[in-house]
Amino acid sequence: MSVVFRGGNIVTNEGVVHADLVVQGGQISGIGSGLAAKEVVDISGLTVFPGFVDLHAHLREPGREDTETIETGSRAGAKGGYTAVIAMPNTNPAQDNVPTIEFVRLQGQRAGLLEVIPSGCITMGREGKALAPMAELAKVGVKLFTDDGSGVQDPLLMRRAMEYSKELNVVLGQHCEVSSLTQGAVMHECGCSSDLGVPGWPSIAEELMVHRDIELARLTGARIHFLHLSTAGSVELVRQAKLDGLPVTAEVTPHHLSLTAELLRGFDATFKVNPPLRTISDIDALKAGVLDGTIDAIATDHAPHARRDKELPLDQAPPGMLGLETALGVTCAALDLDPLAIAQVMSVAPARIAGIVDRQGNLPRVGVAANLCFVDLNATWMINPETMASKSTNTPFVGRQLRGKVVHTMFNGDLVVRDGEALK
Amino acid sequence: MKHIRSISEIGKAGVLAIVERAKQMSEINSRPVPKVPALRGKTVVSLFLEDSTRTRLSFETAAKRLSAETMNFSVSTSSVNKGESLRDTIETISDMGVDAFVVRHKSSGIPWQIEQWTDASIINAGDGAHQHPTQALVDCFTVSEAFGVDSFEGLTISIVGDIRHSRVARSNVEAFAMLGAKVIIVAPSTLLPPDVGHWPVTISNDIDDVIGTTDILYMLRLQSERMDQGLIPNLSEYGNRFGLTEKRVSQLPLNARIMHPGPMNRGVEMQVDPSHLSQSLIHRQVANGVSVRMAVLFTALTLNDDRDHAIQGLSKEAAQ
């Protein structure tokens, strides 16, 4: 079975090439003009990207299958152009043991819509008290470890985790938040949180941990990846660390590139997220960080929540928002990126950070796995929560104009999304 | 005005109108039988999900004096204790046919969140540390009465205490400033909210700097849990630095007045017995609570087609 995608703009190492692309046996078998195959898909006007790789998604299984399953989350990812998703470990049970890791991976294979890659916990139960069996988990393929949802508070334990991770050749992902500074936090600490009479997440709570971990990376030489950076100060710290040659990487979410704390004035918990939506000047600094390479990757922090939980009083509602289906559209609406830059932040860099470049995050060329997405970069569109693939509806982007729409997604040579509809 | 939720939503014209209406209500309250049929046929639900004495009682009294039916909701005997969600509670009560919810909740924002689940009017009786608009209206009425003015131009009002956690402070800052007062907030930095450069206030960390030029000293309650949270070292240090002492009373200008929204913490922010102070307006605040809340209920519930009829009912009774 072979298929030719005819007449698209293919993002390659040599730049954007107008050509046909043939997929056979799960691999790209040809790029050129006038190519033929059994099946023909006209992709004129579309841009061909390597399938996107999300470093940061909460798929909620096992534990909260009422809000998302690995299957529904995979479908949401596929519709968003993703062919690989790193599943965050704050499941129940947490991903601190081999059976749970294997279960998550297997559920991903059963869904068959994209590659679900379980991350592992740094500490047992994400409690920040004792290291998880990182070597055991690394042995079954875990490459990214994180306690996401909370940061590792104890500097000694973090130092030990870094030392240990280095010999295993794995990456630690830190959710940077000094939790004693964020007790009861509801939104960014600012004039708006003071008006609303709610405790805030101050920027310094994130920046202190970014700073601490940069210094621990300097000490230990371990690889550290900063999850969902949200403040101008964090961007500057990472920029300096990279100038110093330290092995640090960082991601930003589409919502932190586009939404501000002012949205909380209506007390709608849809806009409650951790780290919180911050200010225009933070957004500007984050954008600059993406453009100059300080921030390596766009990651969704896709966090489905049940409507009844988001309807709780603002101070009790859980933080988090959907992201997989809107990531490209929000990012392109917020940032003017050329196709190569989009490929870099959505696919190439995250695949490198996740350690999966053998099969993901490769610009199309003959011989690589056919993990691809086909995007109409000029399309403007709006999200309709009722037709989303996710089991939850907590998207903050209702009513906003998005730019750039995923039309088809191919995972390992199978067309899993066609004309915006999931095929399974 | 369908909802009474925050001073900024009510606006200056609304604040003035409610204060003016409260004067009429106060006249009704001075009659031997203080009851008019203005809200006959209306149903008002008290939904107090956080403890309250004076606000709750004054709302219930206000509703009864306007002849509204009142429904009482107590958490301890309700389905909320069985884990019923706020949405289900609101929708269930709304199904019974109610015209207004008077809501108090420990979380900021509840009066805005519940709007999507009911068609009834929503009266905010205090939401978290956000707003307590009827207290501010009571205080505006009380200041207006005590100083014989509608505009607060030329008055300096110092609000002293735990501004950070106070919904009374947030509503009063807005309301006092709206009516023209110069407002000073006085507290240790740990009890001030962060980044409030945009508030229409002057900020001070020293009560003794402002006391000699203050027309109204508005003391806030200090809760002892602020000590456990490390916001103040201990209650006695706080009392010494920010409490109202005999000495500080003596430093107030001649015509200055003292206010407190209650409940008081005697020995902490109140180191004097206010009942012995001629300057105290604290009893007036409580007494005016009923009149102002009658004005609030009347304003919220007579917005629509029956407004003229209701106003007629009010004046007819007033004329008797």
Side-chain angles (χ1 to χ4, degrees), chain A residues 111-135:
Chain A
L113 287 148
L114 47 67
E115 187 181 359
V116 173
I117 302 167
S119 60
C121 299
I122 296 174
T123 70
M124 286 305 293
R126 303 172 41 255
E127 287 177 347
K129 292 182 184 140
L131 289 183
M134 290 170 64

Side-chain angles (χ1 to χ4, degrees), chain A residues 189-198 265-267 269 307 310-316, chain B residues 86-87 105-110 112-113 117 127 129-130 164 170 193-196 198-199:
Chain A
E189 180 182 296
C190 57
C192 182
S193 66
S194 290
D195 290 350
L196 302 189
V198 294
R265 283 198 189 272
F267 295 99
R307 179 175 297 206
K310 280 292 192 183
E311 282 177 350
L312 289 167
L314 190 60
D315 55 353
Q316 293 160 41
Chain B
L86 186 60
R87 176 182 184 155
H105 199 287
K106 65 179 169 52
S107 300
S108 292
I110 294 297
W112 286 264
Q113 278 186 281
W117 304 321
D127 65 318
H130 178 225
R164 179 189 281 258
R170 281 173 180 76
D195 303 320
V196 288
H198 61 295
W199 284 16

